[in-house]
Amino acid sequence: MILLTRLNGKPFRLNAIYMEQIESFPDTTITLTNGKKFVVKESEAEVAERIKKFYQEIHIMHAAASAEVKEDE
């Protein structure tokens, strides 16, 4: 899960696995796979970086990178 901040300043955690889309309108809006939306203070880049770190922590990024290397061999 990643830590994010609502526009009112209240922090909350969101499971990055269920994120489908991140957009800025100009506020950053995250859409989940079930259609629910969250508007957060963090920029798209900040959210993307937190997602990347989360995936690395649960070893999803490492597995994907390893699979790409094996395909190239």
Side-chain angles (χ1 to χ4, degrees), residues 9-29:
K10 185 175 179 181
F12 71 105
R13 292 196 180 270
L14 190 59
N15 192 334
I17 292 174
Y18 296 112
M19 293 182 184
E20 183 175 319
Q21 188 173 21
I22 305 167
E23 302 174 284
S24 294
F25 306 118
D27 295 323
T28 305
T29 304

Side-chain angles (χ1 to χ4, degrees), residues 14 20-21 37 42-43 60 63 65:
L14 190 59
E20 183 175 319
Q21 188 173 21
K37 295 181 184 272
E42 290 79 11
S43 68
I60 289 178

Side-chain angles (χ1 to χ4, degrees), residues 16-53:
I17 292 174
Y18 296 112
M19 293 182 184
E20 183 175 319
Q21 188 173 21
I22 305 167
E23 302 174 284
S24 294
F25 306 118
D27 295 323
T28 305
T29 304
I30 299 168
T31 305
L32 303 183
T33 55
N34 65 4
K36 188 168 183 175
K37 295 181 184 272
F38 292 89
V39 181
V40 298
K41 284 187 172 185
E42 290 79 11
S43 68
E44 276 187 64
E46 287 175 289
V47 174
E49 184 60 32
R50 291 178 191 189
I51 291 169
K52 180 180 173 184
K53 285 181 184 178

Side-chain angles (χ1 to χ4, degrees), residues 61-72:
M61 291 289 283
H62 180 70
S66 295
E68 288 176 16
V69 169
K70 288 179 183 177
E71 289 176 9
D72 291 338

